[in-house]
């Protein structure tokens, strides 16, 4: 398993991480992802560690904190062998302060996560969303204190827009506080919006991508193709899961899957393995978060590493998944690419 620096930090992370969104399954949304219990979670952690996948990602909203609890049980007795990444910001109660990135809520969220995870510290703590109601000085000052207290080691964000991330980085620089070194972001062969603003920002400012949903919200499993019924077990059969995920045009999806199929046949790999390997070739990507309902899925995803697509194969996948950029990116690309190149074109 290759290890990579997380952004501009000195922190090394494995190129694949394991996501715990499948742990618990006690809500309609998360049941559509999976219902892994403690015993199965221990087995999945065993398989991960054998393969060199040492980072495990969770969040307080995953199955209403149950995912963190199960992860804590699954790693009990081997905390020194793993890296823990978790997130908070979304609402976790009915009170007016049970949401957001205020000092009150962040300290509360970290303290409770530590108890659920059975640990004294979190290796990577990420804000799950941007809180426009709380001053950045309060947010980042709180994270600075949590780092100084030894409760978190590194900080990151998730689901921020470019201007929101840049505002936070500028505030951190001005005050000498810890910078976000990770951006947990949606990125896949059928979801390439990350490339237009967040990827150039990540390169320029030293923010590494921690990729979530690399299989496009379950659409790049290899089971969804033209003229084939949707599999019986799929999050795409659950309205809550579909509504929470990215919208994808079916014809566009089929076009991309056709291209992946061709490459997969050439390299002797599965559709998910090709889709994940493509991500690992992209600029700024530090680690790709893989998930699995069971050991079979996990082992298939682990087959995405240890080999590389050729430049020609990457170019074919790029072409099949290309989408017209939004303004001002189409204008920049057409009129000023000489002095303002996009990262994937360099």
């Amino acid at each position: 398993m290759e290890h990579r620096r997380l952004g501009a930090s000195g922190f090394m992370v494995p190129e694949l991480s394991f996501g715990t969104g499948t742990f618990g399954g006690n809500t309609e949304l998360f049941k559509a992802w999976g219902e892994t219990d403690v015993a199965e979670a221990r087995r999945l952690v065993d398989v991960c560690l054998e393969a060199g996948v040492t980072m495990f990602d969770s969040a307080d909203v995953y199955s209403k904190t149950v995912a963190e609890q199960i992860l804590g049980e699954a790693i009990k007795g081997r905390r020194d062998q793993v890296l823990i990444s978790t997130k908070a910001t979304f609402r976790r109660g009915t009170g007016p302060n049970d949401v957001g990135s205020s000092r009150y809520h962040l300290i509360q969220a970290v303290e409770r996560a530590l108890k659920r995870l059975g640990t004294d510290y979190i290796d990577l703590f990420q804000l799950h969303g941007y809180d426009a109601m709380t001053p950045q000085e309060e947010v980042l000052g709180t994270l600075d204190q949590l780092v100084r207290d030894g409760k978190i080691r590194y900080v990151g964000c998730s689901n921020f827009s470019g201007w929101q991330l840049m505002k936070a980085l500028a505030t951190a620089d001005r005050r000498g506080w810890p910078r976000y070194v990770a951006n947990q972001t949606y990125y896949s062969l059928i979801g390439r919006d990350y490339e237009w603003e967040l990827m150039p920002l990540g390169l320029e400012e030293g923010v590494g991508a921690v990729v979530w949903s690399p299989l496009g919200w379950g659409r790049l499993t290899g089971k969804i193709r033209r003229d084939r019924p949707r599999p019986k077990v799929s999050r795409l059969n659950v309205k809550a899961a579909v509504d929470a995920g990215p919208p994808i045009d079916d014809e566009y999806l089929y076009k991309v899957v056709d291209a992946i199929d061709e490459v997969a046949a050439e390299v002797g790999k599965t559709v998910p393995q090709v889709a994940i390997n493509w991500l690992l070739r992209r600029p700024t990507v530090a680690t790709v978060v893989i998930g699995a309902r069971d050991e079979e899925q996990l082992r298939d995803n682990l087959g995405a590493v240890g080999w590389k697509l050729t430049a020609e194969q990457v170019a074919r996948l790029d072409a099949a998944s290309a989408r017209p950029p939004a303004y001002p990116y189409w204008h920049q690309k057409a009129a000023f690419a000489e002095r303002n190149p996009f990262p994937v074109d360099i």
Side-chain angles (χ1 to χ4, degrees):
M1 183 68 58
E2 177 186 335
H3 282 72
R4 303 177 175 193
R5 288 176 64 206
L6 183 57
S9 75
F11 188 38
M12 302 294 292
V13 296
E15 59 186 334
L16 295 181
S17 301
F18 185 81
T20 64
T22 56
F23 288 7
N26 65 349
T27 69
E28 183 184 9
L29 172 60
F30 287 100
K31 186 176 181 179
W33 290 15
E35 299 177 82
T36 302
D37 60 16
V38 172
E40 180 64 14
R42 287 197 184 101
R43 178 57 190 156
L44 295 178
V45 170
D46 289 342
V47 174
C48 284
L49 293 180
E50 290 168 5
V53 175
T54 55
M55 190 155 96
F56 297 86
D57 180 72
S58 197
D60 60 2
V61 294
Y62 291 177
S63 289
K64 296 182 178 178
T65 75
V66 172
E68 285 183 329
Q69 295 173 44
I70 292 175
L71 176 59
E73 290 294 323
I75 63 172
K76 188 173 291 185
R78 44 186 173 177
R79 176 65 179 92
D80 60 337
Q81 300 176 46
V82 305
L83 304 174
I84 295 176
S85 164
T86 196
K87 303 177 289 293
T89 294
F90 297 153
R91 180 167 288 282
R92 282 303 317 129
T94 59
N97 290 308
D98 294 334
V99 63
S101 299
S102 67
R103 180 174 293 108
Y104 180 97
H105 188 240
L106 287 183
I107 291 175
Q108 178 189 73
V110 169
E111 295 286 1
R112 291 178 176 178
L114 291 172
K115 291 179 181 178
R116 289 190 292 266
L117 292 163
T119 184
D120 296 327
Y121 65 95
I122 295 164
D123 297 284
L124 173 63
F125 180 73
Q126 298 155 107
L127 303 186
H128 214 161
Y130 185 75
D131 179 1
M133 304 299 177
T134 303
Q136 287 302 296
E137 288 76 8
E138 180 177 342
V139 177
L140 293 159
T142 303
L143 294 175
D144 175 64
Q145 189 59 55
L146 288 165
V147 170
R148 291 175 183 274
D149 290 344
K151 294 179 180 179
I152 58 179
R153 299 284 170 84
Y154 292 90
V155 295
C157 64
S158 183
N159 305 311
F160 280 33
S161 65
W163 74 265
Q164 292 166 345
L165 176 51
M166 193 63 239
K167 182 176 181 179
L169 293 172
T171 302
D173 288 345
R174 187 167 62 250
R175 303 298 293 267
W177 290 331
R179 303 177 103 241
Y180 297 144
V181 296
N183 174 18
Q184 188 157 345
T185 186
Y186 172 62
Y187 188 23
S188 76
L189 261 169
I190 55 172
R192 296 180 58 183
D193 296 341
Y194 168 76
E195 294 175 356
W196 294 107
E197 182 167 302
L198 291 166
M199 179 185 283
L201 191 161
L203 277 175
E204 182 73 16
E205 296 294 328
V207 183
V210 177
V211 176
W212 63 263
S213 204
L215 300 183
W217 208 249
R219 293 178 172 89
L220 298 179
T221 60
K223 299 176 183 177
I224 300 177
R225 291 186 172 87
R226 285 187 180 86
D227 305 319
R228 179 182 295 187
R230 185 164 289 165
K232 292 182 179 180
V233 179
S234 172
R235 76 181 70 174
L236 300 176
N237 296 330
V238 179
K239 185 179 185 301
V242 173
D243 291 346
I248 299 293
D249 174 73
D250 284 345
E251 192 54 41
Y252 171 65
L253 169 63
Y254 298 146
K255 176 186 175 184
V256 175
V257 171
D258 287 345
I260 300 175
D261 272 334
E262 291 181 7
V263 172
E266 293 171 7
V267 296
K269 301 293 181 180
T270 66
V271 168
Q273 289 168 351
V274 171
I276 294 170
N277 193 275
W278 177 85
L279 281 167
L280 291 170
R281 309 278 76 80
R282 312 307 281 179
T284 72
V285 172
T287 186
V288 174
V289 181
I290 58 173
R293 292 175 180 271
D294 51 42
E295 185 175 339
E296 181 182 1
Q297 284 188 351
L298 174 56
R299 290 193 181 279
D300 185 72
N301 287 340
L302 291 173
V305 300
W307 58 280
K308 291 185 179 181
L309 294 165
T310 67
E312 187 273 336
Q313 289 166 339
V314 169
R316 279 156 52 197
L317 294 172
D318 288 353
S321 60
R323 300 283 261 181
Y327 177 81
Y329 308 113
W330 62 260
H331 189 275
Q332 293 174 357
K333 193 173 179 69
F336 207 50
E338 178 186 10
R339 301 297 296 174
N340 190 23
F342 287 92
V344 292
D345 296 332
I346 295 175

